[in-house]
Amino acid sequence: MTTPPPQHPPAGPGHSWPPPSPPPVWGPPPSAYRHPPALNGFALASLLVGLLCFPPLGIVFAVVALVQIARKGERGRALAVAGLVVSLLTTAVLVTGVTRYAEHFTGAPGRARYAEQVEGQLTGMDELRVGDCFNVPGGDLLDETRFTYRIGCDRVHDAEVTAATALGQNPYPGKGWLEETATDTCRKAQDAYAMDSWALPGYAEMFYFTPSPDSWQNGDRRLLCLIGTSTEEHKGSLRKDAGMLTPDQVTLLGALNTVDQALGRVPDREVDEALPEHQKWARSVDEALAAEERMLQGVTSRQGTGPAAAARLREVAAARKEWQRAARAARPGDFQRAWDAALSALSVDTEKALRGSYGLSTRVPEWLQPGPDGPGTGPGRGPSSESV
């Protein structure tokens, strides 16, 4: 068997055996040909939305971007952080602007807003003292926000303080008790602050600030008594207390004001519903008139004031008899008749003459002007057979 000759490439120029090795090829590692990480879309969106559109949404996009970047290894962390910061700042500016807009156009109470509209120095209610004058927003003394701005009494003001007192440390006593106590306390305070009640202008009214149930629970017990003059542009203090009057004037006004206070405590319920309450009230009025009677008995012989005092004394004695009869009345009708007779016994003209003899105001106030039920039964503070 013939062995085939080995296979060789043909001899000749350009050929050699074995073939040469291929030259080495140098280049980057395979990983260099992979694509770079993708840019996170939420990162870019957070910056754009925070700057141009809706900042709160930009905050959400930035948080989502940071979470995805950490999980997927995507690019854009710096953009996401910048978007978060910008969105937070823009949101804060937006909230501040909306709040100021709402306060300005919706009337929401705010100190900055009121400070531009009310003349005076913003002062807390607990800082107001007797004799202080102040303004309130819009002149509304019934506004429960109760922003007060202290101002000199020689300038136009809405009210002045006649008393500032504490109501005790008991549990919240209820609105009815507070109103009754405030009315009685502030009426006495006003009569002590402006003793010549006839000298007060017709637009002067009594007001008071009492604690609310919530403020009471927080320790607020302060009662603030006021003379309000917000319906007119009033200047000057209305104060005319015992230190600004003569001793004789103080004595007379003390007696007259005590009678007025007693008359003003007429029971709320009708006579036929609460006869015992009315009888008790009649006795208190008689006691106040008895004190005035004793005072008048000591001045009837004085020159100048004697004749007017004697005339008033006769009327007081007649009125006391009727009040005593009312206190003993067995039936509502009997009480009513005695009540009407007692009111008719005291003449406004006689009191006017007495006040004039003491150098006091003779301007008859509105609450003593003639009303539908007769002389001296007008509306307001003065008593009548209907209400006070």
Side-chain angles (χ1 to χ4, degrees):
M1 180 175 182
T2 305
T3 301
Q7 298 295 318
H8 295 287
H15 297 278
S16 62
W17 185 263
S21 300
V25 178
W26 304 100
S31 61
Y33 293 101
R34 291 186 302 182
H35 294 290
L39 176 65
N40 186 276
F42 283 106
L44 180 59
S46 68
L47 183 60
L48 296 178
V49 170
L51 281 173
L52 305 176
C53 185
F54 188 60
L57 187 60
I59 297 174
V60 176
F61 284 174
V63 172
V64 172
L66 290 173
V67 172
Q68 290 184 351
I69 289 171
R71 187 175 70 249
K72 299 180 180 179
E74 295 176 322
R75 291 183 298 122
R77 179 179 176 79
L79 279 176
V81 172
L84 179 62
V85 172
V86 169
S87 297
L88 287 172
L89 293 175
T90 310
T91 299
V93 173
L94 180 65
V95 170
T96 301
V98 170
T99 301
R100 290 181 178 177
Y101 180 91
E103 287 183 356
H104 182 74
F105 287 97
T106 67
R111 293 194 174 194
R113 173 175 171 261
Y114 284 150
E116 298 175 356
Q117 299 178 351
V118 184
E119 188 173 3
Q121 178 66 41
L122 183 62
T123 306
M125 284 180 53
D126 56 344
E127 301 175 58
L128 293 173
R129 300 292 180 264
V130 175
D132 283 349
C133 297
F134 64 91
N135 288 318
V136 293
D140 185 3
L141 290 167
L142 300 178
D143 185 356
E144 294 184 358
T145 57
R146 298 181 183 175
F147 288 96
T148 55
Y149 296 78
R150 185 160 46 197
I151 194 171
C153 292
D154 58 333
R155 301 168 67 183
V156 174
H157 54 271
D158 295 328
E160 57 188 289
V161 181
T162 60
T165 184
L167 295 173
Q169 300 298 322
N170 298 321
Y172 182 69
K175 184 177 180 181
W177 182 91
L178 278 178
E179 290 180 350
E180 181 179 351
T181 301
T183 299
D184 189 60
T185 301
C186 292
R187 180 166 291 170
K188 291 179 179 177
Q190 181 165 305
D191 284 344
Y193 184 88
M195 293 195 72
D196 190 358
S197 58
W198 285 26
L200 290 173
Y203 53 82
E205 300 178 83
M206 188 183 78
F207 290 85
Y208 52 80
F209 290 162
T210 58
S212 67
D214 291 338
S215 66
W216 186 281
Q217 296 301 325
N218 293 328
D220 180 14
R221 301 290 188 275
R222 200 162 192 255
L223 168 65
L224 205 65
C225 301
L226 319 169
I227 298 179
T229 54
S230 60
T231 58
E232 300 284 344
E233 289 194 356
H234 178 80
K235 292 182 181 179
S237 175
L238 295 172
R239 189 170 195 165
K240 186 177 276 190
D241 56 20
M244 306 168 70
L245 299 166
T246 69
D248 288 342
Q249 289 173 331
V250 171
T251 301
L252 174 66
L253 291 173
L256 295 176
N257 289 341
T258 299
V259 172
D260 282 344
Q261 292 164 13
L263 288 168
R265 298 191 189 101
V266 57
D268 292 331
R269 295 193 293 171
E270 298 295 333
V271 180
D272 55 355
E273 298 176 349
L275 180 59
E277 291 182 23
H278 283 76
Q279 291 173 323
K280 181 180 179 180
W281 169 60
R283 288 191 291 269
S284 70
V285 175
D286 178 55
E287 291 173 1
L289 286 170
E292 181 182 344
E293 186 177 44
R294 291 190 295 271
M295 185 276 300
L296 292 171
Q297 289 171 345
V299 298
T300 53
S301 60
R302 287 187 183 180
Q303 185 177 4
T305 61
R312 173 74 177 185
L313 180 59
R314 290 190 294 270
E315 292 185 356
V316 168
R320 286 195 64 198
K321 291 180 181 179
E322 298 300 333
W323 285 112
Q324 291 167 7
R325 188 162 65 91
R328 298 190 303 267
R331 295 184 295 273
D334 296 336
F335 185 97
Q336 187 70 59
R337 284 187 289 273
W339 183 0
D340 292 338
L343 293 177
S344 299
L346 295 177
S347 167
V348 173
D349 291 337
T350 302
E351 183 174 351
K352 178 179 178 180
L354 179 62
R355 287 173 174 270
S357 69
Y358 275 78
L360 300 169
S361 173
T362 57
R363 183 193 63 82
V364 179
E366 182 181 354
W367 47 269
L368 281 177
Q369 295 289 346
D373 297 323
T377 57
R381 180 179 175 182
S384 71
S385 59
E386 297 296 331
S387 63
V388 176

